[in-house]
């Protein structure tokens, strides 16, 4: 279930769809909540924690839960045993490109998708040194050949959805208009943001201020496959 549908389900069950109380709890305007519900805009990590707290559920249940609890006015109590069992495995799901703009982001030449990974907390601790939160981790399946040498089409990319701005030079998953890209983004004083491909057959290009540009995530790790 997409985040916006899940949030609407929870609002309908608790407040008959009214967004004002949730907005007050989170310290945002009702219009901001409307953006989450109607356009599927993803709140930052701090906001997700506040939303989950408002409904008395975990962040995982907020993002991926099934049916809304029957009584949302009462906090959901998770036993120590349940917490211990749940901590043994972490599911990292496919990045949902359908929610970014409401009608989807086009990823050209994508040879199928990787739907999810199941990993241990130890794997996260030892292999993913920097991230904004486990709940913000997602999988993007590599597409196109502009980044060959770093990864191939069909290879897994681990991304952090909590990063939505180009704060420093790195590899990002982003969109311009309705088309998705994975490029190295570099800030050049006086020029703006330059999109750089690993495959030198592709030219660098500039993301101009008038473009409909949005950072969807920062790429944390990639795997480059080899056929035998």
């Amino acid at each position: 279930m997409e985040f916006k549908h899940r949030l609407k389900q929870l609002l309908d069950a608790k407040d008959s769809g009214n967004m004002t109380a949730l907005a007050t709890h989170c310290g945002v305007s009702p219009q901001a909540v409307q953006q989450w519900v109607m356009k599927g805009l993803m709140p930052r990590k701090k906001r997700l924690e506040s939303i989950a707290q408002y409904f008395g559920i975990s962040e995982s249940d907020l993002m991926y839960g099934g049916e809304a609890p029957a009584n949302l006015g009462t906090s959901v109590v998770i036993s120590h045993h349940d917490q211990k069992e749940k901590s043994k495995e972490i599911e990292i799901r496919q990045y949902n490109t359908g929610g970014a703009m409401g009608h989807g982001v086009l990823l050209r030449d994508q040879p199928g998708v990787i739907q999810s990974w199941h990993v241990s907390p130890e794997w996260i601790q030892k292999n993913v040194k920097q991230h904004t939160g486990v709940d913000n981790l997602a999988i993007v399946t590599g597409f196109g050949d502009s980044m060959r040498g770093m990864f191939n089409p069909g290879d897994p990319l681990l991304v952090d959805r909590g990063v939505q701005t180009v704060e420093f030079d790195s590899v990002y998953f982003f969109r311009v208009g309705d088309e998705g890209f994975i490029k190295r983004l570099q800030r050049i004083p006086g020029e703006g943001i330059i999109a750089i491909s690993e495959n030198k057959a592709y030219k660098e290009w500039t993301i101009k201020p008038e473009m409909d540009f949005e950072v969807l995530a920062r790429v944390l790790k990639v795997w480059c496959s080899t056929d035998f």
Side-chain angles (χ1 to χ4, degrees):
M1 182 181 293
E2 289 185 22
F3 172 75
K4 63 179 181 180
H5 298 313
R6 174 63 172 158
L7 183 56
K8 185 177 188 304
Q9 178 191 57
L10 292 165
L11 278 169
D12 288 344
K14 183 177 176 68
D15 298 322
S16 300
N18 191 297
M19 304 176 188
T20 304
L22 175 59
T24 301
H25 177 82
C26 294
V28 299
S29 67
Q31 289 75 19
V33 178
Q34 187 176 34
Q35 294 285 308
W36 302 340
V37 176
M38 303 305 295
K39 294 188 177 182
L41 296 182
M42 188 63 63
R44 291 186 176 275
K45 171 73 174 174
K46 184 177 180 180
R47 297 283 187 236
L48 288 173
E49 292 175 352
S50 185
I51 294 169
Q53 182 186 48
Y54 177 77
F55 290 115
I57 58 178
S58 68
E59 282 187 62
S60 179
D61 287 339
L62 172 65
M63 298 297 298
Y64 309 120
E67 297 297 321
N71 182 6
L72 286 171
T74 303
S75 297
V76 177
V77 178
I78 302 176
S79 69
H80 176 71
H81 174 74
D82 290 340
Q83 288 178 330
K84 186 175 180 180
E85 289 298 310
K86 192 172 183 180
S87 70
K88 291 180 180 179
E89 185 178 89
I90 294 172
E91 182 178 18
I92 303 176
R93 297 195 176 193
Q94 173 194 357
Y95 189 102
N96 182 5
T97 56
M101 293 172 56
H103 55 76
V105 175
L106 174 64
L107 308 182
R108 296 186 184 277
D109 303 320
Q110 189 177 38
V113 297
I114 299 170
Q115 295 182 335
S116 66
W117 281 1
H118 292 263
V119 301
S120 68
E122 183 182 20
W123 187 91
I124 296 288
Q125 181 182 6
K126 292 185 176 181
N127 294 280
V128 189
K129 301 300 182 182
Q130 296 181 349
H131 57 84
T132 62
V134 172
D135 289 339
N136 285 334
L137 298 179
I139 296 295
V140 175
T141 306
F143 55 93
D145 66 350
S146 67
M147 296 299 283
R148 280 191 185 276
M150 180 177 292
F151 62 84
N152 299 313
D155 288 347
L157 285 69
L158 183 65
V159 305
D160 187 341
R161 298 180 298 110
V163 179
Q164 298 178 333
T165 58
V166 183
E167 296 179 354
F168 53 86
D169 298 351
S170 188
V171 179
Y172 293 87
F173 177 39
F174 62 96
R175 68 168 182 85
V176 175
D178 62 356
E179 186 169 357
F181 297 90
I182 295 172
K183 303 283 185 187
R184 186 178 299 280
L185 297 184
Q186 183 177 6
R187 288 187 174 276
I188 305 294
E191 294 187 33
I193 299 175
I194 308 299
I196 304 171
S197 300
E198 192 74 9
N199 184 344
K200 299 309 177 185
Y202 288 79
K203 294 182 179 181
E204 299 177 359
W205 49 280
T206 303
I207 299 173
K208 300 178 180 178
E210 63 269 22
M211 289 181 173
D212 180 19
F213 165 68
E214 179 186 8
V215 173
L216 304 177
R218 185 168 79 88
V219 178
L220 302 180
K221 294 182 76 73
V222 302
W223 285 261
C224 191
S225 62
T226 301
D227 293 327
F228 291 96

